[in-house]
Amino acid sequence: MNEHPGANLKFVSRKRRVREDKRFVTGTAVFAQDVNLPNMKHCAVVQSPYPRAKILSIDASLALAMEGVRYVLTGDEFRANANDMKFGLNTPEVKWYPLAVDMTRYAGEWVAVVVADDPYTAEDAAELVEVDYEALKPIIDPEQAYEEKDRLVHPAHGSNVLYDGHFYWGTVDEDFVAAEERLSYRVRWGRSSTVPIETFGVVARWDEAVDILDVWASIQMPNYVELLAATLRIPLNCVRLHQDVDVGGSYGVKRGIKHSVIVGYLSRLLRAPVRMIEDRLINMASGDAHGPDRIFDTQVAFNRDGKILSLKIRALDDAGAYPGRAPFQLAKPISAIVGPYKINSVQYDAISVLTNKTGQVPVRGFGQSPTNYMIETAVDKVARHLNLDRIEVRRRNFINHDEFPYQIPSGSKYDSGDYHTVLQKALDAANYDELINRRDAARAEGRLAGIGIGTCLEPGGGNNIFEYLMNPSAEITTFSEGAEIRVDPDGLVTGVVGTTTSGQGHETLVATIIGEELGIDPDDIRVVHADSLNAPITRSPVASRMAIMLGSSTAAAAQKIIAKAMKIAAYNLQEPEDDLEYVDGSVFVRRDPVRKLTWREICFIAHKAYHKMPDDMEPGLQAQHVFQVPGGGQLPDESQRVQIYPCFSFQAHIPYVEIDPGTGHVKILDYAIGHDCGTMINPDIVRGMVIGGLAHGIGAALYEKFAYRPDGQFESATFADYLMPSVYEVPMVKDVDHCTPSPLTSHGQKGSGEGGYLGAPAAIASAVNDALHPMGVSIHELPMRSYLIENLLNGGKTDP
Amino acid sequence: MTDAIHIHVSINGNTVTDSVIPRMTLLDFLRYKAGMTGTHAGCEHGVCGACSVIFDGDPVRSCSLLAVQANGKSVMTVEGLSNADGTPGTLQEAFQDAHAMQCGYCIPGMLVSAHALLARNADPSLEDIKEAIGGNICRCTGYVQIIEAIQLAATRLREALK
Ligand code: FES
Ligand code: FES
């Protein structure tokens, strides 16, 4: 049964159209590529063919001689006039410039940029730039990179190790001694990413008259304008990001900071707007948008009843050549390091290494999806080892509904949940008993069939303290989000969003919550995206945080509007506020409801009739609120225990697969999912996120991989090599929801943008291994491509 | 460089005349010469379907055609799916009702493929729908709500004919 008193809600949780959709179906949305300014110049990049090489010389004379070519920028010039791009880890000698300086560090790295009057000319000219290299032997394997002393990606850094952290929470050694059973295993998460259909694009224009760098970008990241300003050595309030540009998908990766500092620099230098749009090949090879690439070595201590006592985890992550914020993806999982299970103690060794590959950026879930795959593998392995049912083992280890808030060994307090019920709902949706019959009947006919069981926690709305955990010089203890509501003299309401949007439906979120709080039809509310100089405080729509953070700040701002309306009404009706009631805009005298002030009257007074305002009240009717992360604001204790995320959503995934024994091809024939993100602000948005994330997880589980040859050459630059699920690879998912409200947010909402992607890879791996079990083999690396499975079935091994 | 070639193309019923370099793609022509920015570039190598338009009645990938090949032909883009007064047509309404999108970037291509399907098949099966949009990659939605939207549009269009 759902707990939330949904009956009291007018607009929240109701099926309503998503207001953003109209501009997309009519083709009138404006993306960065649609920004077309007079006299705009276009960029093309020159890429290094070598994964590791010294740059001996660059000769751009032929390119510059071409008609229509305006400029060629190199790394040396950029370094002389701007700073390197800084990203949070305390590794000052790992310098990242947008164009290679002295040496190149991955195949495809940008060495120069050509600027021309049109993009066709720019690309032709880029081919005429002559670069002399001295090729060096690259370092590609992350385990070798960890040990390597001489072949260094950033020689000045002194090693290839970016981060090597050790966490020890609770009585790990004692629990391992006390446990009746132990097992260990290795799983590998392959290098994939989110790969939005829109590549990254940016347009910049320097406005000399007002000292402002105007930027239109396909961006989704925190600290973007800060990074731009710091890198270009201009004051922060000289950067104006236009956030009304739609972003064609991101899920974490739209972080074209290097593209942006290049066009920012060039637009000022050339006194003309400059645009850079990645083509797909650049996007894949050198847009710096790859995701985690991780090896886990895990030990589990457990008892014969299936109860898991302790985990020892070693995670080795290959961050590529320029890591950005990628290493922090080892730290988010600390917030849910035991998943939805009551596990008493954990040891976690987190290592991030540099290799000569494309740099890694944050990807949907910020490291949680690989980690969840590792945790769920442990549970399946325990069940297999003890010959217990995988579902029963989960039930025995789940935190119970009545145990929340529940604190895990790493210090996170989970806000709320009902894992047993959601799993049961998913099993019911899957028709689990029939599904078992179907699998067994398929097996009896000689087919390879398997059912997957996978659950996941989705931490949402974090406070950035993971940065401090990995770099104690970064004393950042909040990641707040502001909202602004303006009411005009006619009583019409406008909400302001302070960030870009990339499909999350922020305008719908804000309109729905303002409507709910003020009792006004959301369709009558306008919502605008302010530019960064006009915007309320924002940390951008990352970390499943907008429903939690923007939703709660919007609700609080609306309450401030109501509070002011009450004061105006009390003054004019000459009644104490306690005797008044706000209903759908009007304020009534409770005992005599014919005496009231209407919304229009209140708004008119606030804006124009100062003589009817209480003494010293500020004219107008508008409010801002900045919401602090619930439970945030603390530094970790001496055992590195800390609350990072306030809200924890939960999902249970039940896929059914069959494998072609000849080719190893995995076909997902059915898929049921139960999800609980507390109160859904808009159920259609949540459903889309859940199923879309799940489809993304299918890609990570079975198909998507940025592959490198041992010599460091990149092999996945096209959509023919990097395979994303089409409609044929995604089944008609059966989805059921459940609502365990969060006590920490305005309406009980939690995050929902990541869970599908967090649960699906683990669940599909579980299904594939269930199907392979009768053959006596199993696979522990993603993506589980056909040839790997075929090889296994033919008696070969895979080596994760 | 080869000289520009003069072409005229009927786009959503209006003839656009311009000179183009021979290697300009139809996609770039639509976006940068004709101002039809609803058509999007996803891969520019013929895989993702984001650039789909109707070309003389059939859905094609405008990234894989040259503008000069469209000389004298008619092209319909997502902008042409709206009613004459600019309001969304039945298919576009159904996509909104089913919330068949998130970032919206693939949606013009999806709509074009779905439009071509419904123009020749008023009562498509699930398999028909999959075949029609099998060449359109959507990273956001997982396709379920897109399929539901096309089914909804098909039902509404059939009912409108009754
Ligand atoms: S852009 Fe034409 S198929 Fe991808
Ligand atoms: S809606 Fe974003 S790619 Fe389809």
Side-chain angles (χ1 to χ4, degrees), chain A residues 196-352:
Chain A
I197 305 301
E198 179 205 38
T199 60
F200 182 78
V202 57
V203 178
R205 175 187 63 193
W206 176 257
D207 190 334
E208 189 68 39
V210 288
D211 273 349
I212 284 180
L213 181 69
D214 278 303
V215 181
W216 296 261
S218 175
I219 197 80
Q220 182 223 1
M221 67 181 286
N223 310 324
Y224 174 70
V225 286
E226 287 95 325
L227 270 163
L228 262 176
T231 307
L232 294 175
R233 301 177 184 161
I234 57 178
L236 185 50
N237 65 357
C238 289
V239 181
R240 175 164 59 195
L241 175 66
H242 294 265
Q243 305 187 115
D244 50 356
V245 169
D246 278 302
V247 179
S250 173
Y251 340 90
V253 306
K254 284 277 176 68
R255 294 177 185 242
I257 186 71
K258 89 177 172 192
H259 321 53
S260 303
V261 295
I262 288 172
V263 295
Y265 174 79
L266 287 168
S267 69
R268 198 169 174 190
L269 184 78
L270 302 178
R271 300 186 177 277
V274 178
R275 159 181 135 138
M276 182 187 281
I277 309 289
E278 292 173 337
D279 68 23
R280 182 53 65 184
L281 308 184
I282 299 269
N283 168 266
M284 304 291 265
S286 53
D288 297 327
H290 292 190
D293 183 350
R294 204 169 284 188
I295 300 167
F296 291 97
D297 289 297
T298 300
Q299 301 171 56
V300 199
F302 54 103
N303 282 342
R304 293 201 184 100
D305 60 0
K307 290 278 294 170
I308 299 174
L309 306 182
S310 187
L311 297 172
K312 290 184 187 172
I313 303 161
R314 178 184 188 264
L316 175 73
D317 197 73
D318 178 349
Y322 298 99
R325 278 172 78 79
F328 296 124
Q329 299 191 88
L330 286 162
K332 172 169 184 170
I334 289 171
S335 67
I337 196 70
V338 295
Y341 307 113
K342 285 190 278 189
I343 297 175
N344 190 51
S345 60
V346 180
Q347 176 183 315
Y348 181 50
D349 299 333
I351 304 160
S352 178

Side-chain angles (χ1 to χ4, degrees), chain A residues 530-597:
Chain A
D531 66 60
S532 60
L533 290 178
N534 277 309
I537 287 175
T538 182
R539 305 314 301 166
S540 88
V542 293
S544 275
R545 67 189 291 274
M546 291 315 254
I548 296 167
M549 297 297 297
L550 179 60
S552 296
S553 60
T554 300
Q559 287 303 322
K560 289 180 180 174
I561 299 271
I562 292 174
K564 186 163 182 180
M566 292 288 280
K567 288 203 166 51
I568 293 171
Y571 184 79
N572 284 277
L573 295 166
Q574 301 209 322
E575 293 282 352
E577 267 185 67
D578 284 351
D579 292 347
L580 302 179
E581 192 168 5
Y582 177 96
V583 182
D584 295 348
S586 300
V587 180
F588 296 84
V589 178
R590 215 178 262 122
R591 71 186 128 70
D592 185 12
V594 286
R595 292 182 54 219
K596 63 173 183 180
L597 224 56

